[in-house]
C-alpha cells in the first residue's frame, strides 16, 4: 500500500513538473513570438521614419523635379502637363453652364447657375449614372452616343421644355480623368486608357471631338469650352470661392496636384503666351519619386506585385487605394514571423482585402478594449480572438503608415509652395526668411482620404506647421472644396467660353 502511495506521489510530481515545464516553455515561446512581433513593428517604424529633416529633403526634391519636368519633355517622372487653362474663375462670369464628369465607373452631368449678384453665388443640379460595363470596352461612338443621350435627357428634364431649350447654344466643361495630351484648353488626345476602360479606336484621338460629334448626332447645340482633369476642376472651384487659391490637391483613391505657374517658367514650351501670364500645370504628382522617400520592403512588394510597377511611387505611399494594403502586408509579416494571430487566414494573404476606410476605423477606435479593431480583424481578415495587446500593435501599424502618408503629402504641398515662392524661403533661390513677406496662400483640397479621415488630416496639418514653421504656416490655408471635378469644369467653361477670345498663343 505504502509503495502505491509513493508511486502515485512520484507520478503526480512528474506530471506537475511536466505541466510546469510546459507552462514555462509556453511562456518562453510566447515571449519569443511577442518579441518577433515587436521587432517587425520597430522595423516598420524605422522604415517609415519621416522626421522634419527628411521631409525638407522631400520638399526640395519635389521643387527640383518640378523644374526638371517644366524644362523638357520627359525631364522628370513628374509630367508637368500643360492644361491651357489660363483664366481661373473669379466670380465675374454669369449664366448657366454645363459639365460632364467622366473618370471612372460613374459619370455625372451637371448644370451650374452663376447668379448675377454680389457676392457671387452658384447653384447646381447633378445627375449621376453608372457607365454600362459593355460600353467601357466598346467603340467611341457607342460610349459617346450613350453620354450624349443622357446629357440630352438631363437638359430636357432640367430646363423648361425640350423645344424651347434645345436650340439654344450651351457651353460645356468636360472633366475627363484619363491621361490626355492637351493641344488647347478644349482639345486633347487620349494617351492611354486606365481604370478598366479599353476602347481601342479612341487612343490617339481628340477626345472632345468624339463627344462633339455625338452631340451633333443628338441635335444638341453645345460647345465644349474646356477639357480638364479633376485637379484642375478643384482649383477652379477653389479660386472661384477664394482668389488667393494657387494650387489644388486631390487625396482620395489616388492623388494628384495642379497649380498656377508663370508661363515663362514653362521652358519646355517656349513662346507660350497667355494674357494672364499664367497657366495651370497638371503635375501628375502621383508619379513623383525621390531617393529621400522613406521606403520599406512592404512598399517594394506592393509595387512589384502591382499592374504598374515603378509607376505612381508617391501615390502608392499616400493614397487611399494603397494604405490599407500596406497595413495588411505588415500584419501578414507579423503572422509569418510569430503566428501570434492564430491559424493563418486566407483573407490575410489576399491583396486589398483590408480597404483604407476599414484601416482608418481601426486606427480611430477609441474604445478601451479596441472592440472595433477586434471586429474588423474578425469580419474582414477572418482573424478571431486577437488579444488586446496585439490589437494595440495593429493600431500602431495603422498609425505609422497613415502618419507617413500624411506627412509626405504635406511635404509635397510645401514643395509646390517652394517652387512658386510661397514657402517663405524665397523659393528655390533661397532668400532669407526674414526678407520675404508672406502672401496669404490658399490650397484647395478634395478627396475622401483627407476629408473623411480625421487623423490623416491632423497629421498633414501638423507636418505643414513643422516644415514651414508656425509664422509662415499661418499664411497657408488648406480649404476643402466639394464637387470640384464637376462644378469646377462648368466654371472653366464659363471662364473659357466663346464670348472670351482664346488668349493662348504659341509664337
Ligand atoms: P475618388 O478618389 O475615387 O474620386 P473620393 O475622393 O471620394 O473618390 O475618395 C474615396 C477614397 O477615399 C476611398 O477610396 C478611400 O480610400 C478613401 N476614404 C473614403 N472614406 C474614408 C474614411 N472614412 N477613412 C479613410 N479613407 C477613406
Ligand atoms: Mg474624385
Amino acid at each position: 500500500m505504502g509503495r502505491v502511495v509513493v508511486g502515485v506521489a512520484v507520478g503526480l510530481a512528474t506530471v506537475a513538473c511536466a505541466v510546469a515545464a510546459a507552462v514555462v516553455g509556453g511562456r518562453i515561446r510566447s515571449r519569443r513570438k511577442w518579441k518577433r512581433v515587436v521587432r517587425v513593428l520597430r522595423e516598420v517604424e524605422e522604415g517609415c521614419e519621416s522626421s522634419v529633416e527628411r521631409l525638407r529633403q522631400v520638399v526640395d526634391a519635389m521643387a527640383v523635379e518640378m523644374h526638371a519636368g517644366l524644362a523638357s519633355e520627359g525631364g522628370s517622372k513628374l509630367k508637368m502637363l500643360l492644361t491651357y487653362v489660363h483664366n481661373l474663375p473669379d466670380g465675374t462670369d454669369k449664366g448657366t453652364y454645363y459639365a460632364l464628369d467622366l473618370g471612372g465607373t460613374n459619370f455625372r452631368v451637371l448644370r451650374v447657375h452663376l447668379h448675377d449678384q454680389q457676392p457671387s453665388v452658384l447653384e447646381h443640379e447633378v445627375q449621376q449614372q453608372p457607365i454600362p460595363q459593355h460600353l467601357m470596352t466598346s467603340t467611341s461612338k457607342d460610349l459617346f452616343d450613350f453620354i450624349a443621350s443622357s446629357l440630352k435627357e438631363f437638359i430636357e428634364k432640367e430646363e423648361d421644355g425640350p423645344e424651347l431649350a434645345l436650340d439654344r447654344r450651351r457651353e460645356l466643361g468636360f472633366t475627363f480623368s484619363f491621361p490626355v495630351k492637351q493641344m488647347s484648353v478644349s482639345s486633347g488626345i487620349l494617351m492611354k486608357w486606365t481604370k478598366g476602360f479599353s476602347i481601342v479606336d479612341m487612343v490617339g484621338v481628340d477626345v472632345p471631338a468624339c463627344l462633339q460629334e455625338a452631340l451633333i448626332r443628338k441635335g444638341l447645340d453645345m460647345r465644349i469650352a474646356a477639357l480638364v482633369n479633376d485637379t484642375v476642376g478643384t482649383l477652379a472651384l477653389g479660386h472661384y470661392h477664394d482668389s488667393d487659391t494657387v494650387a489644388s490637391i486631390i487625396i482620395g483613391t489616388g492623388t494628384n496636384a495642379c497649380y498656377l505657374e508663370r508661363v515663362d517658367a514653362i521652358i519646355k514650351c517656349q513662346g507660350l503666351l497667355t494674357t494672364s501670364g499664367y497657366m495651370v500645370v497638371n503635375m501628375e504628382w502621383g508619379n513623383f519619386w525621390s531617393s529621400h522617400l522613406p521606403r520599406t520592403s512592404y512598399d517594394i512588394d506592393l509595387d512589384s506585385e502591382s499592374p504598374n510597377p515603378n509607376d505612381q511611387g508617391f501615390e502608392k505611399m499616400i493614397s487611399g487605394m494603397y494604405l490599407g494594403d500596406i497595413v495588411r502586408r505588415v500584419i501578414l509579416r507579423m503572422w509569418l514571423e510569430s503566428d501570434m494571430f492564430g491559424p493563418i487566414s486566407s483573407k490575410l494573404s489576399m491583396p486589398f482585402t483590408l480597404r483604407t476606410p476599414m484601416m482608418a476605423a481601426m486606427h480611430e477606435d477609441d474604445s478601451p478594449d479596441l472592440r472595433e479593431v477586434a471586429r474588423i480583424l474578425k469580419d474582414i481578415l477572418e482573424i478571431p480572438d486577437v488579444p488586446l495587446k496585439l490589437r494595440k500593435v495593429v493600431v500602431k501599424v495603422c498609425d505609422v503608415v497613415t502618419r507617413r502618408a500624411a506627412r509626405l503629402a504635406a511635404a509635397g504641398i510645401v514643395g509646390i509652395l517652394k517652387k512658386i515662392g510661397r514657402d517663405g524661403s524665397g523659393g528655390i533661390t533661397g532668400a532669407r526668411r526674414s526678407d520675404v513677406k508672406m502672401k496669404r496662400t490658399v490650397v484647395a483640397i478634395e478627396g475622401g482620404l483627407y476629408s473623411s479621415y480625421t487623423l490623416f488630416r491632423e497629421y498633414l496639418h501638423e507636418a505643414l506647421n513643422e516644415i514651414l514653421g508656425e509664422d509662415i504656416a499661418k499664411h497657408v490655408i488648406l480649404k476643402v472644396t466639394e464637387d470640384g471635378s464637376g462644378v469646377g469644369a462648368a466654371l472653366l467653361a464659363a471662364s473659357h467660353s466663346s464670348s472670351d477670345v482664346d488668349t493662348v498663343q504659341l509664337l
Side-chain angles (χ1 to χ4, degrees):
M1 189 64 178
R3 249 186 234 154
V4 173
V5 171
V6 170
V8 169
V10 170
L12 283 175
T14 314
V15 170
C17 284
V19 168
V23 168
V24 172
R27 277 207 196 120
I28 291 170
R29 263 197 306 281
S30 99
R31 209 173 301 143
R32 244 187 246 139
K33 287 179 183 179
W34 174 247
K35 271 193 180 158
R36 286 191 209 124
V37 168
V38 172
R39 198 184 61 219
V40 174
L41 178 62
R42 294 284 165 260
E43 282 168 6
V44 181
E45 282 178 315
E46 279 164 28
C48 291
E49 186 267 326
S50 58
S51 64
V52 71
E53 292 73 30
R54 186 186 276 247
L55 292 182
R56 292 212 174 98
Q57 291 172 321
V58 175
V59 168
D60 291 346
M62 180 66 83
V64 166
E65 290 299 318
M66 289 171 77
H67 271 274
L70 290 172
S72 62
E73 211 65 68
S76 162
K77 291 204 90 168
L78 287 181
K79 291 199 186 72
M80 306 299 283
L81 301 173
L82 273 64
T83 65
Y84 295 89
V85 169
H86 55 91
N87 213 358
L88 286 173
D90 56 6
T92 53
D93 295 303
K94 305 295 167 205
T96 297
Y97 295 88
Y98 289 84
L100 193 68
D101 182 1
L102 175 65
T105 45
N106 292 309
F107 86 102
R108 301 180 314 143
V109 284
L110 298 93
R111 206 158 82 113
V112 177
H113 310 274
L114 307 174
H115 294 295
D116 195 4
Q117 65 191 76
Q118 282 299 331
S120 46
V121 171
L122 68 77
E123 281 178 311
H124 74 278
E125 296 112 44
V126 57
Q127 181 180 291
Q128 178 163 313
Q129 236 177 306
I131 299 274
Q133 191 78 32
H134 70 277
L135 292 183
M136 294 162 93
T137 51
S138 172
T139 63
S140 64
K141 183 171 178 297
D142 288 349
L143 176 70
F144 283 110
D145 277 351
F146 172 78
I147 289 173
S149 299
S150 304
L151 190 58
K152 186 173 177 179
E153 259 171 50
F154 176 74
I155 291 171
E156 287 173 351
K157 201 164 60 188
E158 297 290 332
E159 288 187 352
D160 299 334
E163 302 80 22
L164 180 90
L166 286 182
D167 58 355
R168 211 164 3 106
R169 176 155 244 223
R170 300 170 190 81
E171 305 276 352
L172 177 82
F174 183 15
T175 308
F176 184 74
S177 301
F178 298 94
V180 162
K181 180 163 174 49
Q182 288 203 230
M183 287 89 69
S184 74
V185 73
S186 57
S187 63
I189 284 172
L190 175 67
M191 295 158 81
K192 62 171 181 185
W193 284 110
T194 54
K195 300 178 251 191
F197 279 77
S198 175
I199 300 171
V200 182
D201 70 306
M202 254 191 83
V203 178
V205 170
D206 185 28
V207 181
C210 294
L211 175 61
Q212 191 72 68
E213 283 163 19
L215 295 176
I216 292 168
R217 282 196 292 273
K218 298 288 164 197
L220 268 176
D221 190 11
M222 197 166 225
R223 175 179 169 271
I224 302 158
L227 173 72
V228 299
N229 88 353
D230 47 3
T231 44
V232 179
T234 300
L235 177 57
L237 183 58
H239 197 270
Y240 172 85
H241 287 305
D242 188 328
S243 59
D244 288 334
T245 309
V246 293
S248 89
I249 316 291
I250 292 200
I251 317 180
T253 308
T255 184
N256 192 12
C258 73
Y259 73 107
L260 208 49
E261 180 59 279
R262 292 190 342 266
V263 285
D264 58 11
I266 308 175
I267 294 161
K268 66 182 169 185
C269 199
Q270 291 233 335
L272 197 62
L273 275 184
T274 65
T275 38
S276 66
Y278 285 89
M279 183 179 286
V280 175
V281 173
N282 166 16
M283 293 173 64
E284 291 292 331
W285 90 350
N287 203 35
F288 168 67
W289 189 253
S290 155
S291 57
H292 297 298
L293 291 171
R295 197 180 202 206
T296 65
S297 60
Y298 307 100
D299 302 303
I300 293 168
D301 292 348
L302 183 147
D303 180 57
S304 66
E305 291 166 27
S306 72
N308 55 345
N310 294 320
D311 253 1
Q312 301 296 98
F314 199 46
E315 179 166 85
K316 284 171 180 162
M317 288 184 166
I318 289 181
S319 80
M321 168 106 194
Y322 303 102
L323 296 191
D325 203 54
I326 300 175
V327 169
R328 178 196 66 83
R329 285 168 186 275
V330 178
I331 301 175
L332 177 62
R333 174 77 57 86
M334 285 174 169
W335 182 86
L336 289 171
E337 297 223 353
S338 79
D339 81 5
M340 271 197 98
F341 288 88
I344 183 68
S345 120
S346 56
K347 286 281 172 67
L348 186 57
S349 344
M350 211 183 280
F352 297 103
T353 30
L354 181 63
R355 313 301 302 196
T356 299
M358 286 297 123
M359 184 274 271
M362 295 201 287
H363 190 193
E364 299 192 319
D365 182 0
D366 56 4
S367 64
D369 55 347
L370 298 177
R371 231 168 303 144
E372 188 63 3
V373 177
R375 187 191 68 76
I376 291 169
L377 289 174
K378 178 164 167 283
D379 292 354
I380 308 288
L381 292 180
E382 292 178 352
I383 314 174
D385 308 321
V386 176
L388 184 58
K389 71 173 182 179
L390 266 186
R391 285 180 237 162
K392 287 184 180 164
V393 169
V394 169
V395 174
K396 184 67 192 164
V397 175
C398 300
D399 187 68
V400 169
V401 170
T402 294
R403 184 168 179 272
R404 176 185 69 163
R407 289 171 73 81
L408 290 179
I413 294 171
V414 180
I416 299 175
L417 299 182
K418 180 164 190 141
K419 169 70 186 70
I420 58 176
R422 299 277 191 123
D423 69 330
S425 75
I428 211 152
T429 52
R432 283 204 331 274
R433 279 179 180 232
S434 54
D435 301 340
V436 179
K437 186 168 174 339
M438 223 4 232
K439 281 194 210 147
R440 181 173 177 274
T441 298
V442 180
V443 177
I445 191 156
E446 213 170 289
L449 193 69
Y450 180 83
S451 55
S452 308
Y453 192 173
T454 309
L455 288 174
F456 179 93
R457 202 164 52 238
E458 286 175 2
Y459 278 140
L460 193 156
H461 293 175
E462 184 181 75
L464 269 185
N465 273 326
E466 277 178 39
I467 305 168
L468 290 169
E470 276 183 20
D471 281 352
I472 303 291
K474 69 179 180 227
H475 299 281
V476 176
I477 298 132
L478 300 190
K479 265 199 185 175
V480 174
T481 55
E482 252 169 61
D483 243 353
S485 62
V487 177
L491 289 169
L492 287 166
S495 59
H496 292 78
S497 65
S498 46
S499 53
D500 291 314
V501 258
D502 193 356
T503 41
V504 179
Q505 291 173 17
L506 273 171
L507 287 180

